[in-house]
Amino acid sequence: LLIFNCHLRALFGNLQITHLVLTSESLDVLSTHAFVLGIPRLPPVFHPANPMNPYCDFTEDKLISCVQSLSVAPARFGKYEYSNLGFGLLGHIVSKRSQRSYSDLCHEIVFRPLGMMSSFTSYQEIPHDLSHRIAHGHRDRTQLTSQWDFDALAGCGSLLSTSNDLMKLMIAALD
């Protein structure tokens, strides 16, 4: 598996990072603690052009701008919460560090080795003969949502998979 023990400044050059945790932490810490570092759940300035597909226009430029202005979110009830921004940032950093796309990394490191042949990172990757197997998301019990597309924050939710493939991932994680 990939081991990333480098500082964020090494990846983003002269980027001025003022978020205390991001300044001092290396990627190995971010990868195991992305949900407890106090990184906000969503980017502080998050105004998607299409609220029904909110991550599609969140580009690397927006992510860098966001990282520059991050501040630690106060812990709710004494605990930090899961962060879409934290895991999206982690996925982007791993992709940037490896100089490969997030999708390529998922296929090369996770999907193929585990035999997860019905797993993808975007709807565009799904072969036509498998498209009927896609479950559609709902906003409530009756209203369908649109398919979400991801750019710089792919690490926070771009994976599409079947329950059988997710079982393979779970077994590997527990092994």
Side-chain angles (χ1 to χ4, degrees), residues 67-86:
V67 169
Q68 288 175 318
S69 64
L70 277 179
S71 60
V72 177
R76 289 182 55 193
F77 310 112
K79 295 182 180 179
Y80 288 109
E81 296 179 344
Y82 171 84
S83 171
N84 274 357
L85 177 58

Side-chain angles (χ1 to χ4, degrees), residues 22-67:
L22 293 183
T23 300
S24 62
E25 298 298 339
S26 61
L27 293 181
D28 56 338
V29 174
L30 181 61
S31 67
T32 57
H33 296 87
F35 61 97
V36 296
L37 290 176
I39 297 172
R41 185 177 73 83
L42 294 172
V45 179
F46 188 61
H47 304 291
N50 179 359
M52 298 301 286
N53 192 0
Y55 294 97
C56 69
D57 64 341
F58 198 83
T59 62
E60 180 179 29
D61 288 342
K62 289 182 180 180
L63 180 60
I64 289 171
S65 176
C66 173
V67 169

Side-chain angles (χ1 to χ4, degrees), residues 7-18 23 64-65 67-68 96:
H7 288 273
L8 299 178
R9 288 186 196 279
L11 294 175
F12 290 106
N14 293 327
L15 176 65
Q16 295 299 312
I17 303 173
T18 57
T23 300
I64 289 171
S65 176
V67 169
Q68 288 175 318
K96 189 171 179 73

Side-chain angles (χ1 to χ4, degrees), residues 90-106:
L90 178 62
H92 186 75
I93 290 169
V94 169
S95 175
K96 189 171 179 73
R97 175 78 165 140
S98 68
Q99 299 180 342
R100 296 196 309 254
S101 73
Y102 184 77
S103 178
D104 287 348
L105 288 171
C106 288

